[in-house]
Amino acid sequence: MTPAQHELIRHSWYRAAPVREQIIRDFYGHLFEQAPALRDLFPADLGRQKRKLLITLNIAVSRLSRLEQIRPSLRELGRRHRDYGARTEYYPVVCEALLWSLATHMGSDFDRATEFAWREALSTITTEMLAGAREIPEQTD
């Protein structure tokens, strides 16, 4: 990712502050419409999950230009998602649902360049999470 893409993501996320909760809410709604089988991977009450996703996105957006700082956390997140039952083929569906929700709520702020930057960011995040998911858990004796 380029510095200009990092800035597009930061700027768009900053401008989306008033609608971030709606972005997250509609992300889950759209995700479950597109992939109903994924609903079983989540708790019935999504309140805590929504807050966790919002915090994770805030951290990722603020530190994406310093990937080395967040790489261990992203890989740990991938390991946890593996343990929750997330599979590799779910990641593109999740990314598309998030992109849909961002576009829906950001309107004209989500232009082609911004969408491309978000796609690049989500690709980077997914790559790191999948690397973590592939790691073999340490055996304890």
Side-chain angles (χ1 to χ4, degrees):
M1 292 190 61
T2 68
Q5 289 173 319
H6 294 150
E7 185 54 34
L8 277 172
I9 291 168
R10 278 191 298 273
H11 180 71
S12 66
W13 192 240
Y14 170 79
R15 291 187 47 92
V19 294
R20 286 182 192 165
E21 289 184 16
Q22 292 97 321
I23 289 170
I24 301 303
R25 179 198 64 217
D26 291 348
F27 156 73
Y28 282 108
H30 190 69
L31 176 64
F32 300 146
E33 285 175 9
Q34 299 303 305
L38 295 184
R39 183 62 182 97
D40 292 339
L41 297 177
F42 294 88
D45 180 359
L46 289 172
R48 185 168 183 245
Q49 182 66 35
K50 289 176 182 178
R51 286 188 299 278
K52 287 168 52 175
L53 177 58
L54 186 55
I55 290 167
T56 299
L57 284 171
N58 286 335
I59 292 169
V61 166
S62 69
R63 297 188 182 148
L64 197 56
S65 63
R66 297 178 306 277
L67 182 62
E68 66 283 350
Q69 291 180 358
I70 61 172
R71 180 175 283 125
S73 296
L74 292 173
R75 291 194 176 193
E76 174 58 29
L77 189 60
R79 286 188 292 275
R80 286 197 317 265
H81 279 75
R82 174 199 61 208
D83 295 343
Y84 299 147
R87 297 174 17 194
T88 303
E89 61 266 24
Y90 298 164
Y91 283 78
V93 177
V94 169
C95 289
E96 287 304 316
L98 182 56
L99 289 165
W100 173 87
S101 193
L102 289 167
T104 297
H105 290 286
M106 289 184 182
S108 62
D109 284 336
F110 202 74
D111 59 17
R112 286 191 135 147
T114 302
E115 178 185 356
F116 185 76
W118 274 98
R119 284 187 182 280
E120 289 293 306
L122 293 174
S123 176
T124 299
I125 290 167
T126 296
T127 297
E128 293 301 329
M129 288 180 67
L130 287 171
R134 286 190 298 271
E135 292 176 358
I136 299 170
E138 291 184 20
Q139 297 293 323
T140 55
D141 294 326

